[in-house]
Amino acid sequence: MSTQMWQVNPGVVTWDQLRINRTFALAASQQYNTTHDGVLASTINAVTFTSFQKTAENETVYQNMLTTLDQWINSTTLTSLQKKQYDIQKRWMNEGSVPGMEIVMIPSGGLTRTRPANETSYITVAAVLQHPFSRGSVHINSSDPLVLPAVDPKYLTSPFDTAALVQGVQFVNRLLATEPLASLITTRIDPATNFTTAAHFEGYVRASLQSIKHPVGTCAMAPKELGGVVDSSLKVWGTANVRVVDASIMPHHVAAHTQSTVYAIGDKAAAIILSGSRTGNTNGAGAIGFSVVVQTVLSMAVVLGLVSGLF
């Protein structure tokens, strides 16, 4: 993702008031301790998911992005799993059925390279790539289990990812220049206001790039012949009862935050393991089932949808 920060006009209340206004912070603390609401009970709730086509400046730019993607795929050595994943991702784009970009607005500064100034409030807006074509790797680095693995995220290996984020960042600028948001803004802080061209924003994306910390896919659920790690019962291929139960089994990122999906994976895993235990299956090691909110059921449906195209 790439985040940008704007200074807001005096009188616009953001979370920065907790940092710069002692009276405000004290009142907020008292309110929360008394009624459990107010600014200290708030969260990031200005979030939207949209397609690459809609964040692109125009249709010509979008078609050029697709051409660049095809050229890169055709010139790159891909694994069998990558080929299948890319086919699915391209189908999503063609159908417009799955969002590719998330826009997140945070009512605070401090999330970019510029340190927030005293007595000043900000908003930060991030453009977050949901389905990158770049692929990183995680490898065992030592026989010592305490040694950290070798992790190489290989961000922006695909030129499409770079172009998509640049378009996302520019889309955010158009959004902030639109009323009623425009009337709240004093100036853009990061990047500097003299950043106006696609080349400027590409440089900014590369310099400001960071993870939104939703890693997935290192133990992807997929057929063994494609290079998958676990089967549909979450067992590692070639083992009797070793299972992986976390976000690493997801062969694609979901166009959402991953928490509820991981809850659903845990709930499904408990049911699978308990089912094996009850039938005397030696794969079942026993587990404690748990209940989760309805959203996790929907999220598990998403995971099954992601996986269905791979089998």
Side-chain angles (χ1 to χ4, degrees):
M1 73 173 179
S2 180
T3 58
Q4 302 175 86
M5 183 171 73
W6 282 261
Q7 180 180 330
V8 297
N9 295 329
V12 177
V13 178
T14 71
W15 290 345
D16 291 291
Q17 290 297 311
L18 296 168
R19 171 180 57 86
I20 64 179
N21 187 329
R22 182 179 177 83
T23 301
F24 180 90
L26 179 60
S29 179
Q30 291 173 338
Q31 179 180 357
Y32 182 79
N33 289 334
T34 302
T35 59
H36 303 295
D37 57 11
V39 65
L40 288 179
S42 64
T43 185
I44 299 170
N45 55 17
V47 178
T48 189
F49 293 83
T50 188
S51 68
F52 294 126
Q53 189 171 16
K54 290 182 179 177
T55 53
E57 184 175 0
N58 53 53
E59 185 62 23
T60 299
V61 169
Y62 179 63
Q63 292 301 322
N64 287 341
M65 290 167 58
L66 296 181
T67 299
T68 299
L69 174 61
D70 287 337
Q71 292 173 342
W72 176 77
I73 289 176
N74 292 334
S75 65
T76 303
T77 301
L78 305 176
T79 67
S80 297
L81 182 58
Q82 278 180 288
K83 292 177 182 177
K84 193 70 173 178
Q85 288 174 322
Y86 290 172
D87 286 345
I88 293 171
Q89 287 177 237
K90 290 180 65 177
R91 187 184 76 236
W92 288 342
M93 292 165 61
N94 291 334
E95 294 173 351
S97 57
V98 178
M101 186 70 66
E102 177 186 10
I103 308 298
V104 186
M105 183 176 292
I106 303 101
S108 174
L111 300 175
T112 62
R113 292 181 296 174
T114 299
R115 184 181 179 87
N118 292 332
E119 307 302 324
T120 307
S121 293
Y122 305 89
I123 59 172
T124 302
V125 186
V128 188
L129 193 62
Q130 297 299 293
H131 302 293
F133 284 85
S134 301
R135 291 292 185 273
S137 62
V138 179
H139 294 291
I140 294 173
N141 204 28
S142 169
S143 59
D144 183 349
L146 298 181
V147 174
L148 296 176
V151 180
D152 183 359
K154 297 184 180 179
Y155 296 137
L156 305 185
T157 304
S158 166
F160 177 86
D161 293 353
T162 306
L165 272 177
V166 168
Q167 290 300 309
V169 166
Q170 291 183 297
F171 174 83
V172 168
N173 277 270
R174 295 194 295 274
L175 179 66
L176 270 291
T178 304
E179 295 295 353
L181 291 174
S183 294
L184 305 178
I185 302 301
T186 300
T187 187
R188 191 179 68 205
I189 303 298
D190 273 332
T193 54
N194 62 351
F195 280 55
T196 57
T197 67
H200 289 151
F201 285 111
E202 179 175 342
Y204 180 77
V205 163
R206 293 185 180 279
S208 65
L209 191 71
Q210 57 183 300
S211 168
I212 199 171
K213 301 175 179 61
H214 295 167
V216 302
T218 52
C219 295
M221 180 187 291
K224 184 178 180 180
E225 59 270 21
L226 288 183
V229 176
V230 301
D231 63 17
S232 58
S233 66
L234 306 178
K235 287 190 299 185
V236 176
W237 288 109
T239 70
N241 63 349
V242 177
R243 287 184 166 91
V244 180
V245 185
D246 58 29
S248 68
I249 71 161
M250 297 159 58
H252 289 280
H253 193 274
V254 290
H257 293 195
T258 53
Q259 182 176 359
S260 62
T261 304
V262 173
Y263 285 169
I265 292 170
D267 193 50
K268 183 67 173 179
I272 290 172
I273 295 169
L274 283 172
S275 175
S277 178
R278 289 172 184 146
T279 59
N281 188 330
T282 56
N283 291 349
I288 298 175
F290 55 90
S291 298
V292 287
V293 295
V294 174
Q295 184 181 5
T296 64
V297 178
L298 299 176
S299 296
M300 195 61 203
V302 171
V303 172
L304 295 174
L306 293 175
V307 172
S308 64
L310 296 174
F311 285 87

